[in-house]
Amino acid sequence: DAEITQSPRHKITETGRQVTLACHQTWNHNNMFWYRQDLGHGLRLIHYSYGVQDTNKGEVSDGYSVSRSNTEDLPLTLESAASSQTSVYFCASSAATSTGELFFGEGSRLTVL
Amino acid sequence: EDKVVQSPLSLVVHEGDTVTLNCSYEVTNFRSLLWYKQEKKAPTFLFMLTSSGIEKKSGRLSSILDKKELFSILNITATQTGDSAIYLCALRAGSYQLTFGKGTKLSVIP
């Protein structure tokens, strides 16, 4: 069955360290997204991609970067982790022909100390 | 800027009750409105609505959209403890990304 997987599922890091969260989907979807979820804010869009070599900033992109070198993967990098980036991160994907439904990964819980 | 507002933010009901969750929105180029259920992990898709007045139904859950008044409701009848979750409303406008509301946390007590 097609799926979308995130790793690591849990990570604790220190302020200032670089962190990369992996996202891999086997749906062959063109569209991929990274959201963060925080209490009181809901899901907020960080970055998104509509295909290989395409990346775009979302609502809360400061301090984050992504790259899309193939269809299956969209890693999210925190260049210098900050305590404000402690959150649960969700990767999602959708087909280019879809009318909106996103398929979500299980989430990655990141704690920055 | 597209905006999604959900109400109430939290709700506690007893098993067997009927609940109505609200989602209002502001958008410049409406494509669709989606409802998701989130238990402990990833949000799971419930409904997608594109046309006014057409009810979508799945078991005890149903949803409808009013594009004139810019809102949608999600109804759950005969609630069960398994319905306890965060219900998310999301808006698709113009492109593929979704704008989410803050969610309604529903707690169903026996």
Side-chain angles (χ1 to χ4, degrees):
Chain A
D1 285 346
E3 59 180 2
I4 180 165
T5 55
Q6 295 183 227
S7 62
R9 297 292 312 282
H10 300 272
K11 184 167 182 70
I12 300 174
T13 191
E14 295 177 343
T15 301
R17 291 193 180 258
Q18 183 180 82
V19 175
T20 296
L21 305 179
C23 176
H24 179 81
Q25 53 99 2
T26 58
W27 293 97
N28 200 33
H29 284 163
N30 286 328
N31 306 328
M32 295 186 73
F33 309 85
W34 275 103
Y35 286 86
R36 61 177 287 177
Q37 187 173 35
D38 305 285
L39 199 62
H41 288 280
L43 284 160
R44 292 181 291 174
L45 183 64
I46 306 171
H47 280 286
Y48 59 100
S49 167
Y50 291 156
V52 176
Q53 303 301 329
D54 175 73
T55 61
N56 305 280
K57 293 181 179 181
E59 177 190 356
V60 289
S61 61
D62 286 350
Y64 304 94
S65 63
V66 293
S67 61
R68 186 91 181 269
S69 58
N70 58 52
T71 300
E72 296 80 18
D73 299 288
L74 188 70
L76 177 70
T77 297
L78 289 69
E79 300 292 344
S80 177
S83 57
S84 60
Q85 295 176 309
T86 293
S87 187
V88 180
Y89 291 87
F90 286 98
C91 181
S93 70
S94 70
T97 55
S98 80
T99 48
E101 181 184 354
L102 299 188
F103 295 84
F104 283 87
E106 295 288 283
S108 295
R109 181 177 293 276
L110 175 68
T111 302
V112 183
L113 301 176
Chain B
E1 182 181 326
D2 301 330
K3 189 174 177 183
V4 179
V5 178
Q6 293 187 245
S7 64
L9 292 181
S10 66
L11 188 58
V12 181
V13 301
H14 288 94
E15 267 192 321
D17 288 350
T18 293
V19 299
T20 298
L21 310 183
N22 302 293
C23 176
S24 64
Y25 62 90
E26 299 173 14
V27 66
T28 53
N29 185 15
F30 179 89
R31 297 292 295 274
S32 57
L33 186 142
L34 296 89
W35 286 95
Y36 282 81
K37 177 182 182 182
Q38 185 179 24
E39 297 177 82
K40 296 191 186 230
K41 298 180 181 176
T44 55
F45 173 76
L46 292 175
F47 298 112
M48 182 179 63
L49 304 157
T50 56
S51 301
S52 279
I54 299 175
E55 185 182 55
K56 293 284 183 88
K57 196 170 171 67
S58 176
R60 296 176 294 102
L61 278 66
S62 64
S63 183
I64 198 161
L65 174 68
D66 185 328
K67 290 170 73 174
K68 182 179 177 185
E69 300 297 329
L70 306 183
F71 76 91
S72 174
I73 59 172
L74 176 67
N75 280 321
I76 308 174
T77 59
T79 51
Q80 303 171 357
T81 54
D83 295 326
S84 295
I86 297 173
Y87 290 84
L88 298 166
C89 176
L91 185 67
R92 181 184 172 202
S95 52
Y96 293 105
Q97 67 265 30
L98 299 183
T99 299
F100 285 85
K102 294 182 180 181
T104 294
K105 183 178 180 181
L106 174 64
S107 300
V108 181
I109 55 177

